[in-house]
Amino acid sequence: MRVALCATCLVDQFFPEVGEATVKVLRHLGVDVAFPEAQTCCGQIGFNGGYRKEAADVARHFVETFEPYDHIVAPSGSCSSMIKVYYPELFADDPDMLERATAVGEKTHEFSDFIVNVLGVTEVGGVSTGLVTYHDACHLLRELGISEEPRTLIQNTRGVELQEMPKSDACCGFGGLFSVKFPEISTAILNEKVGNIEETGASTLVANDCGCLMQIRGALQRKGSKVRPKHIAELLAEGLD
Amino acid sequence: MPEVKTSRFKSESVKALANDNIQRALGAPFAHFVDGRKSAIDADYTEESWESMRDRAAATKAHTIERLDYYLDLVDKNVRRNGGHVHFANDSTHANQIVLDIARQNDVKTVIKSKSMVSEEMGINDVLEKNGITPVETDLGEYIIQLAKETPFHLIAPAVHKTKGQVSDLFEKFLDSAPTDDIEKLCIIARDVLRDNFAKADMGISGANFIVAETGTVVLVTNEGNGRMTTSAPRIHVAISGMEKLLPSIEDVGLFLRLLPRSATGQRITSYNSFISGPRASTDEDGPEEFHLILVDNGRLNLLKDETLREALSCIRCGACLNHCPVYRKVGGHAYGWVYPGPIGAIVSPMLTGLKEGKDLPYASTLCGSCRDVCPVKIDLPKLLLDMRHKIVKSGGGTMPERLGIGQWHNAMKTRKKLEGKVRLGRFLQGAVARKGIIKRLPLPVVNGWTKSRDFPALAPRSFAEIWRDDLSGGDRS
Ligand code: SF4
């Protein structure tokens, strides 16, 4: 089984430690991880902005890069949903690409989805400490329907207790371009999320998407909060050799 | 038609964020709608059965909209058979003219109205007033915003942003009543005024929640009983509706009467469900002598031509997508700048009034998908918003900095080599602003809004690809 890691552009350039943790967990679970070095981005930024021509170029490059593999794993629900749900939309008028993109989409899995539903693993074996609260990233939850898998993996991490926050499924206000175009609204939504996170008394916030994490971390850091944001891969990698 | 202010979304939303009354209104009442919806659905349905009801409703709507010509003919025939009149209006001016003509022919002085979003599109109250006819809204919320000369803040709760103090002030100013902060007293004041008008009005204008083609029946769903008064007390009843409100058969109505109140307010059934098929029959004791149905296009047929966006015509105006939208819940209804707010408004308002002015609205969404999940007719709102963004860009509507940004991104992401070149440049440039991996202030226009409230991460010193190459690949490079 050849498993290709799609690092996602955010992890690749801003949060490489998340990529390292992803590799560590997958290897620990016996996965033969490959990293196709030609990869760049899934194209979501352009697609969400309405720039479909540009997005299609980037997405085509993605499909060409990843189609030789059996599985593609991405530490992001948002990128996974772009590939699985929106590539067919993007290539609706290009039958050849539509077929290839759909095939790639079927082999693409978000990280926690892959571990639980493809590998059949519900306990990774790491050890961490403290109270953890989990934020449901919108695309992971509502495009891909994944909410139990990450919770199971968190709960089955030794030393960790999961404390649900109020409205864990409420958006963090990131929305990519939205956070730049409407920073005031984005911040107002974010502040509510941060309030809900802090209400739990958790020391760690876990999410499966670096978009949400970038947004939430931005506010936590700015206000000097003690809550540490972590990608789920980082939490699961703790205590693994 | 009320002034189109969709182009001011950005500035109006910032104002709304700073408005305490609006922020308060967006809290508890909406939490009540959201929680109420969930308990009402959970109480009666399994997830599967609710889903299958939504599927059936979506299919019924799609079927009707695809055969709109046929069903419009059918409704025309059946309303006439019932003794009513049917009028087709191209736009709001035309629709207003039809109402005025009916009013003039019948020497109408006072018009009472029950809630109708299409009449908001038409700005009919202004038109009537200018022609010496007094319109009186009889839905309490609509009455309040009529006095305040505002557009609705919400599809089903038009005055939810008004405090009791503001309502008391309005009543004092326009009705000469004594100030009070007792809500019951305020209701009594309004009821007395409205009662008089119910008694003296010559014409009642209503909307239509559904129109049954097979029987020529207008279905009205209200909670205050004012709809029933409006459509039965005056001599003339004029129902105004968008052309898309049709349902094929009376048997379809039950499904929608279950979906609508649960989605809207969390009620299992609305207090008043009226079925109106034409004027009073010779055997009826009362009811209007004349019945008119005005079916308004006002941009809908254009929307119908668009294979993707026509899905928006399935909307039954329940308001659930507003209640669950993180953006609407922060900025409220007026920021959207026209009659329809929230996610559905971000689609419908620009499509009916001009995509150029309203081009910010489809972007005013995080694409979180909550709206799609709660929509009783399963409109894929994020998909439609994305489609509109594409249309805006195709027609040259993207801003200059955005085009530049996307151009850079496009170029960088074409190949790994190009990406790495850009990243090297970025790492060099960020040296001036990044400290310990954090950027506190982005000194570039457009993106500088980000760092007013949030830190931005700096580009990592080594990308993951480099780390892989150097440390992780173990020579296994692909
Ligand atoms: S789009 Fe759907 S959820 Fe929104 S108002 Fe219309 S029917 Fe209700």
Side-chain angles (χ1 to χ4, degrees), chain B residues 155 315-322 344 371 374-377 379 381:
Chain B
L155 293 176
C315 174
I316 60 171
R317 310 274 187 257
C318 72
C321 60
L322 283 59
I344 187 66
C371 48
V374 296
C375 176
V377 288
I379 299 174
L381 293 135

Side-chain angles (χ1 to χ4, degrees), chain B residues 3-13 335 337 357 360:
Chain B
E3 195 192 340
V4 178
K5 296 183 259 184
T6 48
S7 64
R8 293 188 224 156
F9 177 80
K10 202 166 154 54
S11 55
E12 290 302 315
S13 64
E357 298 76 41
D360 270 350

